[in-house]
Amino acid sequence: MPDGRRPSDDRSAIVIVTRFAPSPTGPLHLGHAYSALTIQSLAGDGRVHLRIEDADSARSRPEYAAQIVEDLTWLGFAWAGEPENQSDNRVAHDAALHALGERGLTYPCSCTRRDIIEAGAAIGRMGMVYPGTCRGRPLSDECAGDAIRLDLRRALAEIGPLPAFAEFGPLNAGTHRLDVSDLVAGMGDPVLRRRESGDIAYDLACTHDDAAIGVTHVIRGEDLWHNTALHVLIQTVMGWPVPSYFHHALVRDGNGRRLAKVDRSKAIARYREEGLNAGDLRALLPPLPISRWAT
């Protein structure tokens, strides 16, 4: 829960390392453009990485990854070094998952979505709350196609005093501390490796990759706000640094709905085909947010 304190306005000693991390599961739309430009603006003279989050093997497409690079270059978004592919880190992701298993913090799960619904799962902050049907199964009992879940209660018991994290976004600015009851009731035991595909789940892959490149500030849309407590928990359990967070508002259509790939929101490439230049597209976006980072 936030403690009501406001961030400092002094950013003189800050060296920001951050990233823009789109998934190549469809073309970029105005919401992505807004997020990329917000990251570039808030990073100032810091280092911005471009990470293509292609760990979802079923939905990621190389043609979308290429389109992301092309659209961002056209938009004027600048990043350091070469674009990074999350899938290149699979060995390291597997090692992180194995390390959690060695500590007794994970277990295999054969439950399908239907199984979870039929078990009467509650709805929490991140969707259905897993009721713990397979909790207690040893990893030696793992079968092909099983998911791997984090035993949330064991993880919380292991880390000791619950950590705090700083949020600088416009909706939840302040210092927040993890809450045991809220985490357990809000998400249950999260999946760290997906069923059948064996893909490492976003929450573990993302936090690992942020730590690997030394991210100090995570800047992303407010739709990911509810993932933050889990990310801070994973970072703490793994001994990775906890960055500062900034969750910006989402770009919405005329009916107030957020733009999303699943809704086939109009792609940046389509605006380009219609003859708009980067300045024209920027004029379609809301004003970029302003933040003062704490030292």
Side-chain angles (χ1 to χ4, degrees), residues 19-294:
R19 79 300 194 272
F20 180 51
S23 57
T25 56
L28 300 185
H29 52 63
L30 288 179
H32 294 106
Y34 182 74
S35 188
L37 294 173
T38 294
I39 289 167
Q40 186 165 266
S41 175
L42 296 182
D45 295 330
R47 183 178 180 88
V48 180
H49 293 256
L50 173 59
R51 182 168 74 227
I52 307 298
E53 295 202 329
D54 59 349
D56 185 340
S57 60
R59 299 172 59 227
S60 295
R61 297 287 183 272
E63 60 268 29
Y64 288 135
Q67 185 71 61
I68 285 171
V69 173
E70 184 177 334
D71 286 344
L72 292 175
T73 301
W74 173 84
L75 185 63
F77 175 77
W79 60 88
E82 295 296 320
E84 303 154 17
N85 294 315
Q86 190 168 68
S87 59
D88 291 342
N89 296 331
R90 178 58 192 261
V91 172
H93 297 160
D94 286 340
L97 184 65
H98 178 74
L100 289 168
E102 288 285 293
R103 293 159 60 185
L105 299 182
T106 60
Y107 61 89
C109 174
S110 59
C111 296
T112 64
R113 180 178 177 85
R114 181 168 183 169
D115 293 333
I116 297 171
I117 292 173
E118 291 180 348
I123 303 300
R125 65 163 76 197
M126 296 173 65
M128 289 189 296
V129 177
Y130 182 65
T133 307
C134 291
R135 190 183 303 126
R137 281 180 62 191
L139 283 175
S140 59
D141 188 39
E142 179 186 349
C143 300
D146 281 350
I148 299 294
R149 290 184 180 272
L150 176 69
D151 189 324
L152 191 63
R153 292 164 180 79
R154 285 192 178 187
L156 287 166
E158 182 171 301
I159 64 177
L162 296 180
F165 63 94
E167 166 65 34
F168 296 88
L171 300 180
N172 299 291
T175 301
H176 298 254
R177 187 169 296 278
L178 298 188
D179 180 273
V180 173
S181 59
D182 183 50
L183 282 169
V184 171
M187 69 179 68
D189 293 344
V191 170
L192 299 183
R193 193 190 72 192
R194 298 189 182 98
R195 291 182 66 248
E196 298 179 351
S197 72
D199 291 337
I200 297 296
Y202 162 75
D203 300 295
L204 180 58
C206 172
T207 50
H208 170 276
D209 294 350
D210 284 349
I213 60 174
V215 165
T216 60
H217 295 71
V218 172
I219 305 165
R220 59 192 183 189
E222 65 187 18
D223 54 321
L224 290 170
W225 164 250
H226 290 306
N227 293 74
T228 306
L230 174 57
H231 290 186
V232 172
L233 173 64
I234 292 172
Q235 289 155 352
T236 304
V237 168
M238 295 301 298
W240 298 332
V242 176
S244 296
Y245 287 88
F246 186 107
H247 291 83
H248 60 74
L250 304 177
V251 178
R252 300 181 182 274
D253 64 17
N255 296 316
R257 296 177 302 186
R258 73 181 183 92
L259 303 184
K261 293 174 184 173
V262 294
D263 296 327
R264 298 187 178 181
S265 299
K266 188 173 179 179
I268 291 175
R270 182 64 62 84
Y271 287 101
R272 294 172 58 191
E273 292 169 1
E274 293 175 355
L276 273 69
N277 60 37
D280 296 330
L281 188 134
R282 288 173 183 243
L284 298 175
L285 301 173
L288 299 180
I290 299 174
S291 175
R292 296 291 185 182
W293 302 107

